[in-house]
């Protein structure tokens, strides 16, 4: 009989979700628990870092206990502990890191500090047999990135946002239109009865070379249109929402097309290359359809991890650690608010670049 697969406890706390998961090296997800703070942040129309950190601290022990209960295991069955070590809201990252280190120290287990973006980048391999290399479009409230994923630890960032993430553009625009938080699902719902061609909005960077994104101008343009059309009470919110959704879909499609061309040059022997789309914004049907069209045209197959694995979760953190079982981190690891996956990537023009 061979060795039983390693069992990893994963912890995620870098934004507004406190999550714990138990994953085996044979890809069995034994538990994937999430305590969302959305209801707490909804009244502020966005995540408040200090409130988030306090809330993580309050629930983390219980979420870890819940994950073990769900997995029908005890701490004695765990072979390693992983936690998001950054990038993210540092108060939250510190809470998860301290919890993981405490368990690792008390139990004499290996500890893994996982890059949150690496968790997203490797998550498709947990559910779909996606082989390296693949192209990843990560579109969430915190990130909008195009990455070539060659192997664990080997990433080439093709593009990132120069300002807001795509989901952030939805969230901020929804707030402006009085649609509540999180904005993406609210905008998609209202957009269903609107005309996406009715209100002219910009497509930042569309048609230019490269794979970077920019969304903050779009939000400003939407705010201006809203005022011109008489404000929240008079403006056709459904048309505005549909036009915004269309503009985001166009930008994402354009930049992803450029990335697919570059990927085929970088990895010419891929017969049917894979485009993985991950993050909350991928849940938008209109955007997903637009991306499917450009991927088909470029000859790429699309893989979308199930929502539970491609929005923020702890199973992806446990899995990223399992991809490098033999290389744990020292307990002296310090949480990193910034932690680029590809430190060599040239920064896009402009300031405030997201990692
Ligand atoms: O991946 P995710 O759950 O969390 C992180 O941000 O990491 O993504 C949440 C983001 C929010 O900005 C939310 O507005 C957006 O994804 N989102 C959507 C939709 N569902 C969620 N955006 C557009 N259309 C949707 N249906
Ligand atoms: Zn994330």
């Amino acid at each position: 009989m061979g060795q039983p697969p390693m069992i990893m406890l994963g912890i995620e706390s870098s934004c507004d979700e406190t999550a714990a998961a138990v994953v085996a090296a044979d890809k069995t997800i034994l538990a994937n628990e999430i305590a969302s703070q959305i209801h707490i942040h909804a009244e502020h129309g966005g995540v408040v870092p200090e409130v988030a950190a306090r809330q993580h601290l309050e629930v983390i022990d219980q979420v870890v206990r819940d994950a073990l209960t769900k997995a029908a295991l005890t701490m004695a069955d765990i072979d390693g502990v992983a936690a998001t070590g950054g990038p993210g809201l540092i108060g939250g990252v510190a809470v998860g890191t301290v919890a993981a280190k405490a368990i690792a120290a008390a139990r004499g287990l290996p500890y893994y500090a996982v890059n949150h973006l690496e968790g997203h980048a490797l998550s498709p391999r947990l559910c779909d047999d996606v082989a390296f290399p693949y192209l990843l479009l990560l579109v969430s409230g915190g990130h909008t990135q195009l990455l070539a994923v060659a192997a664990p630890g080997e990433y080439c960032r093709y593009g990132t946002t120069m300002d807001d993430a795509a989901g952030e553009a939805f969230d901020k625009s929804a707030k402006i239109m009085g649609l509540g938080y999180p904005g993406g699902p609210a905008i998609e719902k209202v957009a269903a009865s609107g005309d996406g061609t009715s209100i002219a909005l910009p497509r930042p960077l569309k048609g230019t070379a490269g794979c970077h994104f920019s969304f903050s101008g779009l939000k400003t343009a939407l705010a201006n249109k809203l005022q011109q059309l008489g404000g929240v009470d008079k403006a056709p919110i459904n048309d505005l929402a549909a036009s915004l959704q269309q503009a985001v879909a166009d930008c994402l499609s354009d930049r992803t097309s450029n990335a697919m061309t570059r990927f085929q040059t970088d990895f010419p022997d891929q017969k049917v290359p894979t485009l993985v789309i991950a993050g909350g914004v991928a849940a938008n049907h209109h955007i997903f359809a637009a991306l499917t069209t450009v991927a088909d045209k470029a000859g790429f197959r699309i893989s979308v991890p199930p929502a539970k694995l491609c929005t923020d979760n702890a199973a992806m953190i446990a899995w990223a650690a399992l991809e490098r079982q033999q290389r744990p981190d020292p307990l002296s690891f310090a949480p990193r608010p910034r932690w680029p996956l590809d430190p060599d990537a040239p920064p896009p023009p402009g300031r405030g670049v997201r990692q």
Side-chain angles (χ1 to χ4, degrees):
M1 263 192 28
Q3 285 270 91
M6 184 179 193
I7 294 180
M8 187 73 70
L9 172 67
I11 294 173
E12 155 61 34
S13 56
S14 66
C15 190
D16 60 348
E17 258 118 23
T18 320
V22 182
V23 179
D26 66 1
K27 301 191 178 183
T28 312
I29 301 172
L30 298 158
N32 191 15
E33 297 299 299
I34 294 188
S36 172
Q37 305 179 1
I38 277 191
H39 58 287
I40 296 169
H41 300 295
E43 21 180 314
H44 307 284
V47 180
V48 183
E50 292 77 10
V51 176
R54 184 167 289 272
Q55 185 62 18
H56 285 305
L57 193 58
E58 211 132 279
V59 302
I60 194 146
D61 289 348
Q62 189 58 48
V63 175
V64 168
R65 269 198 297 272
D66 288 350
L68 288 171
T69 306
K70 188 76 178 273
L73 296 175
T74 69
M75 212 55 105
D77 301 305
I78 300 298
D79 302 312
V81 191
T84 297
L89 300 176
I90 198 65
V93 173
V95 170
T97 297
V98 168
K101 285 181 181 176
I103 296 167
R107 293 265 158 191
L109 297 174
Y111 157 72
Y112 302 81
V114 172
N115 183 318
H116 177 85
L117 296 168
E118 182 165 50
H120 280 300
L122 299 176
S123 65
R125 290 167 51 78
L126 179 52
C127 51
D128 191 356
D129 245 343
V130 184
F132 296 119
Y134 51 87
L135 179 65
L136 173 76
L137 169 65
L138 177 58
V139 270
S140 68
H143 341 281
T144 304
Q145 297 215 344
L146 279 156
L147 280 172
V149 183
E154 267 183 57
Y155 308 96
C156 181
R157 194 187 72 193
Y158 287 179
T160 187
T161 182
M162 292 160 61
D163 38 60
D164 290 350
E168 206 173 349
F170 277 113
D171 293 336
K172 289 180 175 171
S173 300
K175 192 174 178 186
I176 294 168
M177 293 189 282
L179 292 175
Y181 176 85
I187 287 183
E188 181 170 16
K189 199 166 161 210
V190 176
S193 63
D195 176 359
T197 62
S198 58
I199 292 162
L201 291 173
R203 269 66 174 156
L205 296 178
K206 186 175 174 222
T208 63
C211 306
H212 293 310
F213 302 90
S214 170
F215 291 106
S216 70
L218 190 48
K219 168 201 66 199
T220 310
L222 180 112
N224 290 338
K225 288 281 180 197
L226 179 70
Q227 285 317 313
Q228 284 164 18
L229 292 165
V232 172
D233 296 331
K234 293 203 183 110
I237 298 294
N238 56 349
D239 287 341
L240 276 166
S243 300
L244 177 80
Q245 185 174 267
Q246 185 60 52
V248 174
D250 286 351
C251 294
L252 291 173
S253 303
D254 180 72
R255 314 319 286 163
T256 305
S257 283
N258 288 359
M260 288 190 287
T261 305
R262 177 165 169 195
F263 185 86
Q264 280 172 312
T265 309
D266 290 352
F267 303 96
D269 51 357
Q270 295 287 298
K271 278 202 185 68
V272 182
T274 303
L275 169 67
V276 175
I277 307 173
V281 179
N284 184 293
H285 294 87
H286 188 76
I287 288 174
F288 183 71
L291 290 168
T292 306
T293 305
V294 287
D296 282 351
K297 215 163 132 196
F300 275 62
R301 143 183 125 86
I302 287 193
S303 167
V304 185
K308 267 174 93 169
L309 296 181
C310 74
T311 60
D312 284 353
N313 68 89
M316 71 180 189
I317 302 304
W319 175 249
L322 285 165
E323 291 250 33
R324 58 165 168 105
Q325 292 172 31
Q326 308 311 326
R327 288 178 288 121
D329 293 299
L331 289 177
S332 58
F333 174 89
R336 301 176 183 171
R338 298 205 160 264
W339 189 356
L341 267 189
D342 176 4
D344 300 330
R351 293 206 262 143
V353 173
R354 292 296 178 82
Q355 289 176 356

